[in-house]
Structure formats: C-alpha cells, structure tokens
Amino acid sequence: MRQRSLIAITAALAAGALTLTACGSRDDDGGGSDSGNGGTKVVIGVDAPMTGDLSAMGLGIKNSVDLATKIANKKKYVEGVTFEIQALDDQGQPSAGQQNATKFVADKDVLGVVGPLNSSVGESMQKVFDDAKLVQVSPANTGPSLTQGPDWRTKKVRQYKSYFRTATTDAVQGPFAAQYVYNDYKKKKVFVIDDKKTYGAGLAATFTDEFKKLGGKVVGTEHINPDSKDFSAVATKVKNSGADVVYYGGEYPQAGPLSKQIKEAGAKIPLVGGDGIKDPAFIELAGPASEGDLATLVGAPVQGIASAKQFVADYKAEGYKEDYAAYGGYSYDSAWAIIEAVKKVVEDNGGKLPSDARAKITEAMQNISFDGVTGKVSFDEFGDATNKQLTVYAVKNGDFTAVDSGTYTG
C-alpha cells in the first residue's frame, strides 16, 4: 500500500558535490574532441518532441538538460571536460526517434543521450543505442516492457544494458492512481479509454487491473484515434454507461478535448490520467471542464522538494522562454547521471576519456547514485529508477494543484 503523508526529500542538489580534480586530457581515439580551450568536449544528446502537440513537454526536457550542462561547466564538475548538448526533434514519432538515434551514434562526441518523452519512441531507439554501447537515460518513459520485457507481469528480463530511466514505470503509476480513485476519491465505476499507443494502453491496463482488484467496476472501455480531436461518439458512450469517473491512458493533446466533450455530452464526471496529461496545455484545451480532473505524476512536486529549489532558481535565472514542465527535474537528473558517469570514467582512467568511453560510461551508469533534483537518483537491476514516489494533482481554479503524494509498494 502507499504512504499517505508526503515524503520529505531533503538531499542537497547534486551540482553542489565535490568536483573531479584529474586532468582533462583524453586518449587520441577516445570519445569527445578538443573543445578549443585545451579541454575535451563531451556532447549529451537530447531527443524529444520540440515541435508539434507535445512540444511543451519536449522543450522543457531540452532546456533542463541544457541547464545541467551549463551548471556542470560553471562548476568545472569534471575538470578538463566541457559539456554541450545536441537536441533533435522526434515529433513524438518512433520513426523519427530511430533516425535521431542513428545520428547520435554517428557523432563520436556524443557520449550519452537524454530522452525520449514517449515510450513508443523509446522502443524504437533502444537497440540502436545498445548496439553502439551508447547510454540512454529517459526522464519520461514509463512503459514497463522497455526495461523488463514484454512478459514483465510474470517474468522480468532486462532488455538493454544501455537503457536507463529516472521516471518510475506504469507498473507503479497505474495501480497508484487506481488506489487513489477508489479509496480516496470514492469512485467505484470507471470508463477506461486509451489511445492504443505503448504508453497509453499500458497505463490503462495497469490501472484497470488494480481497480478491479480493489472491487471497482469497469463499465466500459474504448480506444481512440490519437490523430482525432472529435470524441463525441466516445463521450456519448461514457454518458450512457453510468460511470462516475473516466480513466484515460494517453497524452494531453487528446485528453483535453476528450474531457471537454465528455462534459458537454452531459457526463459531469472527472477525467483522470497519468503524467502524460499533467501539463497546462491540458487545461487550456479542456477549458473550464477540466476543473476537478486528476493527473498522477512520478515523483514529488518539484516546488516542494528541498533539493529542487536551486534547480527552479537556476532555470528561472537562465531565462528560458518555455517552462520546465512535467519532466524538467527528471531531465536535469538524467543529464546529471550522464555527467556523473563521465566523471567516474575519467577519474578511473587517470583524468582522461578512454578509447572505449561509451562502453565504460554505460557500465558506470549502473552504479551511479546521487542526490538530485527529484530526490535520490539510482537504478535497479533493470535500469529502472529506484525512486517510486508519485503525486496526485487536481485541477483547481485553472491550475494543477498537488493533493496527495506517496510511495506505491504493491
């Protein structure tokens, strides 16, 4: 069961840790290149949707990684190494993500990649990176199969040694939401909708399993076309089902109009979703109909974590036009995990990058552990985040407000 009280996380921001003092040279055939100032340039790739419907989250990911590299450079966190980012737009499409992965692999200066946002895009990139021993850390992928295999419910098998994530999985998020909806929100009849994509369908399935286990009734299910904005037929089915809550597995570009049209159809019931709908754009798309809707998000509220205060201040000071959004803290921590791994590899190799830097960084990532923006950052044997904190947000007065936070333990 989950803990009802908010778990306080008081660890200091990882950027404040001691810097590496080894010299910054590298092997001639190692990763990275001369930065032009006597040091070594290391590029951290960023893959996310920079344009299109999901760009609000994608740009927050890019900016947060950029901030991490700037902080690392300012503090000379890895002596002799200058970090840069290379950001590529996947538009939320698996095919684009796979092409981007190939581009990152081809650039010898890229020694780690943060991203992507979408689990389906993550699936398309994993083998490309793993074949090249290039480490990938996603701040947002939540599909359990990416780390534990397609049969994860009965037999967990790690898929790729180069894949890690700082976000917890839908195997945790879905049941957590079901427990809140049934036990705390007192809703017993749910209509479940998903967008048929890896993330949405998986999240809806884990929610449904737990909701039924608790004694709740699923009065209807439906799959929508994520390219559509007309959900009137589904809204009518929801109205006629007698449901007292809707659970949606998917993202905010569809969730917003869906919530609005369900209310317009006469079903004055809340829509509940996962981290994919927790964005101001959802409220904008749904309008006043979003009031009372709920979203779960991995982690505790960034604004309430002691270790995140510096991140929030630094992000504001940097003057980014876009908000850090739902995954800003996780993106910063994903980038910092790569920075920590680079530090470890350089330190172990006498102050320079080895010729097999990518493989060594991937190997080092497994044992990385530090106090980050989102709390303690470390990885289990599957590459999953060990931090299982989640938060429930409700739309109140046109904004998402945290209403409960805890840890799901099964």
Side-chain angles (χ1 to χ4, degrees), residues 8-330:
I9 303 174
T10 58
L13 184 66
L18 293 174
T19 58
L20 179 65
T21 57
C23 65
S25 62
R26 63 180 177 86
D27 288 347
D28 290 341
D29 55 349
S33 61
D34 195 318
S35 66
N37 57 5
T40 299
K41 178 179 73 173
V42 169
V43 175
I44 297 177
V46 184
D47 178 89
M50 313 291 179
T51 58
D53 289 343
L54 296 171
S55 60
M57 288 182 173
L59 291 169
I61 290 172
K62 177 180 76 77
N63 293 343
S64 299
V65 176
D66 182 67
L67 178 62
T69 61
K70 287 180 177 177
I71 295 295
N73 291 338
K74 180 180 179 180
K75 292 179 175 292
K76 293 183 169 58
Y77 193 70
V78 183
E79 191 70 29
V81 171
T82 299
F83 292 96
E84 298 179 6
I85 73 165
Q86 179 186 351
L88 297 180
D89 180 11
D90 64 28
Q91 299 180 319
Q93 299 299 319
S95 58
Q98 190 173 69
Q99 291 171 4
N100 290 347
T102 301
K103 291 178 182 177
F104 286 132
V105 167
D107 185 345
K108 68 180 179 65
D109 291 339
V110 177
L111 298 186
V113 177
V114 175
L117 169 69
N118 308 82
S119 292
S120 56
V121 177
E123 283 182 323
S124 75
M125 307 175 85
Q126 287 179 302
K127 189 177 187 303
V128 178
F129 287 138
D130 202 63
D131 287 347
K133 296 182 173 59
L134 178 58
V135 75
Q136 171 187 12
V137 187
S138 173
N141 290 171
T142 54
S145 63
L146 274 70
T147 48
Q148 301 175 18
D151 300 321
W152 61 270
R153 287 180 176 85
T154 56
K155 183 181 180 181
K156 296 178 173 63
V157 178
R158 183 159 191 176
Q159 301 300 287
Y160 298 100
K161 291 184 178 180
S162 65
Y163 180 87
F164 298 82
R165 52 180 156 198
T166 54
T168 195
T169 75
D170 295 332
V172 176
Q173 184 177 196
F176 178 84
Q179 290 186 2
Y180 184 83
V181 169
Y182 186 86
N183 294 326
D184 299 88
Y185 217 39
K186 306 299 183 184
K187 304 299 182 182
K188 311 301 181 185
K189 295 184 293 183
V190 66
F191 196 106
V192 180
I193 305 170
D194 69 66
D195 62 0
K196 299 182 288 187
K197 289 161 53 174
T198 302
Y199 163 73
L203 185 60
T206 58
F207 172 91
T208 300
D209 289 345
E210 181 71 11
F211 194 75
K212 287 180 177 178
K213 189 185 302 180
L214 292 167
K217 184 178 181 181
V218 177
V219 297
T221 60
E222 191 64 65
H223 307 288
I224 65 164
N225 180 355
D227 295 325
S228 176
K229 292 294 188 291
D230 180 5
F231 308 117
S232 55
V234 177
T236 299
K237 290 182 180 180
V238 172
K239 168 65 167 58
N240 294 336
S241 72
D244 54 15
V245 65
V246 170
Y247 188 81
Y248 177 65
E251 296 150 334
Y252 65 82
Q254 296 74 39
L258 179 62
S259 177
K260 182 178 181 180
Q261 291 171 41
I262 286 172
K263 273 80 163 183
E264 289 174 346
K268 307 300 183 182
I269 60 176
L271 180 143
V272 181
D275 49 334
I277 79 168
K278 202 274 172 181
D279 191 274
F282 166 78
I283 299 173
E284 294 173 11
L285 291 167
S290 65
E291 193 73 9
D293 287 349
L294 301 177
T296 54
L297 184 66
V298 293
V302 169
Q303 297 87 341
I305 304 176
S307 57
K309 292 180 180 178
Q310 190 64 49
F311 163 74
V312 175
D314 288 342
Y315 193 98
K316 182 177 180 181
E318 198 60 41
Y320 296 110
K321 294 180 181 179
E322 304 85 12
D323 188 74
Y324 52 79
Y327 300 103
Y330 292 92

Side-chain angles (χ1 to χ4, degrees), residues 1-3 7 171-172 175-176 179 388 390 406-410:
M1 299 297 292
R2 61 192 175 82
Q3 301 169 4
I7 298 176
V172 176
F176 178 84
Q179 290 186 2
K388 309 298 184 184
L390 294 110
T407 303
Y408 175 77
T409 58

